[in-house]
Amino acid sequence: MVDVSSTVMDLPRRDARDKLRGRTRYTNDRARPDTLHAVLLRSTVPAGRITRLDVSAALECPGVHAIVTGADAPGLHGIGIADHPLFATDTIRYHGEPIACIAAETEAEAKAALAAIVLDVEPLNPVLTMAEALAPGAPLIHEDWRAYEVLTEGGARDGNIAWEAKSVRGDVDAAFARSDVTIVESSIAVGRQSHVPFEPRVAIGSWENGRAHIETSTQVPWTVRNVTGRVLQLPPGRVRVTVPPVGGGFGLKFDATIEPITALLARMTGRSVILENSRQEEMATCLCRENAEIRIRSAVTAEGEIVGREAVVLMDCGAYGGEQVFLTTMTSHTLGGSYRLGAVRLVSRAVYTNTPPNGAFRACNGVYNSFALERHTDEICAAIGMDPIEFRKRNVLGNGDLGPTGQVFEGDVLGPMLERMDTLRANTGTLEHAADGRLYGRATALGTWFIFVGPSAATINLNADGSATLVTSGVEIGSGTMMQSLPQIVAGQLGLHPDQIVVREADTDAAGLDAGIGGGRTTVSIGAASVGAAAEVREKLLRTAGEMLQTAPKDLVLRDGRVEISGRPGSGAAISTVVAHAQATTGPISGTGSFTAKNTPAMAGCAMGHFIDALDIPVFVVHEAEVAVDPDTGHVDVLAYRVVQDVGRALNPRAIMGQIQGGVVQGLGYALHEEVTITGDGRIAQDGFETYRVPLAQDVVPVVADLYEGAPSMGPLGTKGAGEVPILAVGSAIACAVSNAIGKPVYRLPLTPPRVLRLIHDIEPRPDYPHIAPNWTDNTLR
Amino acid sequence: MFDSMERSLTVAGSIEEALAAKHRGAAVLAGGTWLMRDPRRGVNLPDVLVSLHALPALFTVEIEKDQVVIGASVTHAGLARQLAGLNGFDAVVAAANGAANPAIRRVATVGGNLCTFDFAAADLLPVFLAMNAVVELRSIGERQVLPIAEFLANRRVFLRDSILTSVILRRDVIASAHARLPLRRAGDYPVAIVSAVRGHDGRVRIAVGSVEDVARRWISLEAVLAIEPASVSADPERMRALAAQCVDFRGRDGIEADGWYRCQVLPTLVRRAIASLSAKESVQ
Amino acid sequence: MTVTLRINGSACRFHGDPMTPLVDVLRRERFLTGTKAVCREGFCGACTVEVDGEAVMSCLRPIGLLDGATVKSIEALAPGDTALHPLQAAFEAADVVQCGMCFPGMVMSLAPFLRENPDAGRNEIKAAMVGNICRCTGYERIVDAVMNFLDSQKMEQANG
Ligand SMILES: Cc1cc2nc3c(=O)[nH]c(=O)nc-3n(C[C@@H](O)[C@@H](O)[C@H](O)COP(=O)(O)OP(=O)(O)OC[C@H]3O[C@@H](n4cnc5c(N)ncnc54)[C@H](O)[C@@H]3O)c2cc1C
Ligand code: FES
Ligand code: FES
């Protein structure tokens, strides 16, 4: 454990000025006059067979330099299984799937040439819903699924089931058979959520000295490097990825998508090529938070003990497996987490459909699994007649309790956080009077998520002017981590001011492997690697200083840019002097550090097909919403919103508050406004800002938050990531509050005015899942 | 975007020049807030356009003794500013101020709002209908003045050769109100609109927008009102109940809301409109 | 069509499609990339610039209507090494910027509004922001910073 006393808190962001002046150059600001513009030919059917693709006429169009198709990029990529080609070659699997890409002098010329591509497609009957995909005899979306390369072993797969993960602990049948239990069952459905980062996915490729160089708006430079290598069948080392400031990611940019295409076109043309999704393309092919269908059942005693629980979660991965394959894992930890359970079994299936592929979005399936869990918990409370907050206090996981996969949880966190919510509510008061004749509801909801750890690397070079350069593959996506936490952490370790820490933009040629910016991992993983690098730098610095000052290194401290003799402020030498000395004697001072998951153990045999058996760093939230519902129009007005969030340690309380406000508001969008529906021809209907409604300033309220510090964390200085989880329990808190307000169960999000009015009029259909078997085991493979 | 380098835009220096261009097939470009999004709707931009923005006469709002004449090029912001505080015109101000967002209101014109065929949610239409507005159309050598309802019934035909030059509203109104229902607090197209106007004869006229493809007067409700005692039309709750019996609209299904919802909220919007109408009358 | 206009103080001549949106002239011809084209539909405000003193959305302004117009984009608000505009400074001080892509438009739309409405309250500010979407911040802290800016302006006026 390192000391935080020397760490500067609440650091302002160094990138704010340029951003405010419009000077920051995001990737899509970097097209130069000599950059070629690329445009994609996309499929206009959700399923089909390509019978002819002829680009020769298009190649002759004015301004056109090159055209790439699937023939140029034969490799498949994916998570868990390699099922995803860069372009549809024989088979079209979703509306909007790339088929070819044209690079021309101008965007207009590239677009004009699209019309000259000859494409014949034999349309096939699309499989648009998970019910259709799981129906007996359903057409296979991937006919060759058996032949795909398996990248991670362990998941069960079958036909349209891309991946299945399950966890089983204890005797669930026996628990449900007990005579003293009430059995409660809930069915829940959610639609997709689109990220809407202000900068769409965009990349600029160039070919330099026989290697690809891709500048891109991504959260995962190393994934882009590796995927590009795979699909182009190049050694990944022949790909360099650099990342300018990113105009928002929220998980959308946690996968490689269009980047390899720019590298291909650059190789063919010898020019730089920019490919940027239009807003319409961006939204029509967004790797959304997936739509999902959940059935959950619990056996609960009259005293409120949950003796058994089982659930089936179907996640629509769209045409390709992608992130959903990984996320099947997280069902256990979220739906099966938070509460102490007797016996439990959970199965989670990523299901292929002929719809645009889904992906990762801030707290991913945790958001809707929490919604399902908390609505279910409220239904349990109603069934056994117990106060919902009391029930939660009795049942939340505490020190030594077992998680769904048999992981032993450390520390009492959720319990005290619920108490803190009581205090917060007492301090702020409630706003029932503001409902002003409308239906009023309040609800408290909680949730468990995790910090995604995994590999990170850092190098620190100490310079002769007393500054230090931090080199990592970290990307600034807007959350401020690279601008605030990392310079703070490094400066604190080296006795420097954060301003003296130069943070290098991510470059896979300069820094080591990194799992990417997401899952709240930056502060923790890159932070820990940076602490490691700083330790090496420190050690070298003190050794040199020790020689210079004729003092044992253990008696030296780093403070205010100086190496001082302990207890004698102002003594010793400036760090710059020591560095200069080292450069002349032993060589420049640098250090490296690295980090990865610690692989917390689970109980043997509990988790099957999981990418993570146990959570290294769990994170908890407690949320509370107060709403007023207009019974005549179904409009939900959020009156007040309160959050208690487990942050480990808050280095930048002000920045964390900013993340909480922003994350809660995205959650309000998910809960109330943002709807994605799939049309009969497999398109996302809401492909622009007119129809996809994100919250506007008048739709939000100031979130009041209490940061809960002190929960165990392996993160540097005891930190946990704070940016991802604020969205976790918003859907649940709002849904439970609306349900309380209207006195009817809520089974579906978002709660748009038409949906709420249908609920009030009892004409909103309940989710009905004929494709989920009543017997849990029948919903599993093997 | 640069899909046609030959595209031509005539900035008309006189109304005659504009009419001649229109006659030759040019599309009218007003604020462009609708037209510029044609490509997004999968429609090619017109190749030949004529703009009215250099014709100052079309930018004026003339408040005369018994009528108000609004030029076609007046923006939503301009309309709201110039009619603010004018007795009986609250609904027009509310419609002009409630539509879109501030930056759009600074450029989107009255003419554009009235002349967009495929736009069901236009805010000004129901107000103008309830105000019994007349519109002035000009074509070469001809000037035509007709009730807005008649214009709306046949917009495509009228606008084939004509340009809408102004909207004329009589001042024989006591009060008016505009109740629009967006899905968020604001910033959306309204899913349903009710405009209510009380004329000097004491009668309330009601028009509905965004529910069907084109806004129209709520004839059946007005007919029921005609046989009720006058006090009913000032009672929001009773008006709501009456409206609920008269919903004879075929609500359009859209991505944002279905027809059922649009019809279902109409009585509530009537209640809101009447409540604000009565509030204004009691102030006067 | 040829259009002559002033952009950030310099005379510019555009030759081409009159329906080219102003934002593309700014970004592609003048390399003024501070103006962002995010939705190109008038909903998000990221492309807001001042045309003849009024804040408008440059994605929906056809260049053909701008002959003789004066355009000011975010780059001209605090050019070169000059101090930030006080509203920009207020945003910086309150640490509200996240990805930052909405802020040039946010500043260009709020600065004229606040100039004309120095007594605006929270609700009016939020209403003025209805055409400025921010996907990152959740708005409230932007509004806090605007309130701070107005307060400090009032203080300055009272003192000077
Ligand atoms: C973000 C956003 C939000 C919006 N929200 C709303 C809303 O809430 N409520 C609402 O009502 N509208 C809304 N609109 C729609 C808005 O574009 C129109 O209402 C606007 O009034 C159109 O005016 P314009 O001057 O921009 O028309 P233009 O785009 O220039 O023209 C529109 C059509 O009208 C024709 N036309 C224009 N003037 C004339 C004329 N004088 N004679 C003949 N034909 C003519 C044009 O040829 C064209 O076909 C919104 C638009 C945007 C971009
Ligand atoms: S880009 Fe102009 S309003 Fe969104
Ligand atoms: S800061 Fe990212 S959109 Fe506003």
Side-chain angles (χ1 to χ4, degrees), chain C residues 15-54:
Chain C
H15 185 77
D17 183 349
M19 292 299 270
T20 304
L22 172 60
V23 67
D24 287 341
V25 176
L26 294 173
R27 289 178 57 86
R28 296 181 185 176
E29 314 239 326
R30 312 295 303 177
F31 294 93
L32 293 167
T33 54
T35 303
K36 307 296 178 193
V38 171
C39 72
R40 292 180 174 273
E41 285 200 88
F43 285 95
C44 76
C47 64
T48 307
V49 298
E50 276 187 39
V51 175
D52 295 330
E54 280 201 318

Side-chain angles (χ1 to χ4, degrees), chain A residues 555-618:
Chain A
D555 296 328
L556 296 173
V557 291
L558 296 174
R559 219 171 61 92
D560 288 343
R562 295 183 69 79
V563 186
E564 291 177 352
I565 298 164
S566 183
R568 288 170 50 195
S571 65
I575 287 180
S576 52
T577 314
V578 181
V579 173
H581 183 78
Q583 288 180 346
T585 53
T586 49
I589 295 183
S590 63
T592 59
S594 61
F595 175 84
T596 195
K598 71 175 182 195
N599 293 318
T600 302
M603 205 179 267
C606 275
M608 287 144 275
H610 277 49
F611 286 72
I612 297 172
D613 287 351
L615 303 179
D616 281 347
I617 309 181

Side-chain angles (χ1 to χ4, degrees), chain A residues 33 104 131 137 215 245 263 272 284 329 334 338 368 379-381 385 411 418 460 480 494 496 575 623 680 713:
Chain A
E215 259 186 307
S272 302
T329 294
T334 49
S338 297
Y368 61 74
E379 297 204 323
I380 291 173
C381 296
L418 280 164
I460 296 172
L494 296 179
L496 298 173
I575 287 180
H623 284 201
S713 171

Side-chain angles (χ1 to χ4, degrees), chain A residues 25-30 197-204 214-221 224 241-259 262 275-277 282 475-477, chain C residues 99 101:
Chain A
R25 291 177 67 236
Y26 303 85
T27 302
N28 67 351
D29 295 326
R30 295 185 180 217
F198 261 34
E199 185 185 34
R201 283 165 289 171
V202 51
I204 302 174
I214 305 176
E215 259 186 307
T216 175
S217 185
T218 187
Q219 300 171 239
V220 284
V224 172
V241 177
T242 58
V243 190
V246 173
F250 316 119
L252 173 60
K253 299 169 183 170
F254 207 72
D255 206 349
T257 50
I258 58 176
E259 292 92 345
T262 64
L275 176 57
E276 177 179 5
N277 276 339
E282 182 71 354
V475 175
E476 176 52 55
I477 60 169
Chain C
C99 89
M101 268 215 153

Side-chain angles (χ1 to χ4, degrees), chain B residues 22 27-37 52 72 76 98-101 104 107-116 119 121-124 159 162-165 180 187-190, chain C residues 41-43 60:
Chain B
K22 174 76 190 169
V28 176
L29 171 62
T33 62
W34 186 269
L35 214 50
M36 286 290 279
R37 293 182 292 153
L52 312 177
H76 284 63
N101 57 51
I104 295 295
V107 286
T109 66
V110 172
N113 201 259
L114 264 54
C115 297
T116 311
F119 183 36
D123 264 285
L124 296 178
L159 291 176
S162 311
I163 291 177
L164 186 145
T165 45
R180 70 197 296 274
D188 289 321
Y189 293 162
Chain C
E41 285 200 88
F43 285 95
L60 296 183

Side-chain angles (χ1 to χ4, degrees), chain A residues 307-332:
Chain A
V307 297
R309 171 163 290 169
E310 62 181 23
V312 178
V313 178
L314 303 180
M315 311 162 59
D316 189 346
C317 56
Y320 298 100
E323 197 70 36
Q324 277 62 45
V325 168
F326 170 86
L327 289 172
T328 52
T329 294
M330 290 312 297
T331 290
S332 290

Side-chain angles (χ1 to χ4, degrees), chain A residues 280-356:
Chain A
Q280 189 274 336
E281 291 178 290
E282 182 71 354
M283 300 199 69
T285 66
C286 177
L287 305 172
C288 291
R289 187 193 309 283
E290 66 278 10
N291 50 307
E293 300 171 342
I294 299 174
R295 179 172 296 161
I296 178 170
R297 292 170 76 217
S298 299
V300 188
T301 66
E303 296 71 46
E305 188 190 345
I306 311 164
V307 297
R309 171 163 290 169
E310 62 181 23
V312 178
V313 178
L314 303 180
M315 311 162 59
D316 189 346
C317 56
Y320 298 100
E323 197 70 36
Q324 277 62 45
V325 168
F326 170 86
L327 289 172
T328 52
T329 294
M330 290 312 297
T331 290
S332 290
H333 300 300
T334 49
L335 202 53
S338 297
Y339 295 100
R340 207 177 320 108
L341 304 174
V344 54
R345 60 188 177 196
L346 305 160
V347 61
S348 179
R349 305 175 129 186
V351 180
Y352 288 128
T353 57
N354 286 121
T355 61

